[in-house]
Amino acid sequence: MGSRAMLAYWETPVGDNAEGKWNWWYLLLLFQFVPALWVPFYNSIEPSLFGFPFFYWFQMALILVSSAITAFVYLVTESVRS
């Protein structure tokens, strides 16, 4: 494969709008990883919720919050593209 063919192979179309490749809303996706990767922040037993230690229910809450953030960013960026 030539270099031009490889370049065309690896390019992914984002749409007709060249400005739609990057959006500031994508930075919200980074913020959801900070608490998940900072384990000493939530490495404790108290406060417990329904008998679950903080370590476990905080991670479950992060899953819900991360899903909501991802859905929000998707919906906002799709409406900007359309």
Side-chain angles (χ1 to χ4, degrees):
M1 235 188 242
S3 63
R4 184 175 292 272
M6 285 185 65
L7 181 64
Y9 177 76
W10 289 107
E11 287 180 357
T12 57
V14 177
D16 295 336
N17 187 3
E19 295 175 11
K21 292 182 180 178
W22 170 253
N23 199 324
W24 289 102
W25 288 108
Y26 295 143
L27 289 177
L28 281 177
L29 297 175
L30 293 176
F31 292 128
Q32 65 188 357
F33 293 110
V34 172
L37 296 175
W38 190 22
V39 177
F41 173 70
Y42 60 92
N43 188 13
S44 65
I45 296 174
E46 295 294 329
S48 61
L49 181 68
F50 303 116
F52 290 102
F54 181 70
F55 183 79
Y56 293 115
W57 69 259
F58 183 76
Q59 289 181 22
M60 292 296 122
L62 277 178
I63 291 170
L64 297 175
V65 170
S66 297
S67 300
I69 289 173
T70 303
F72 175 76
V73 170
Y74 173 76
L75 292 174
V76 170
T77 56
E78 282 298 310
S79 66
V80 169
R81 281 191 211 166
S82 299

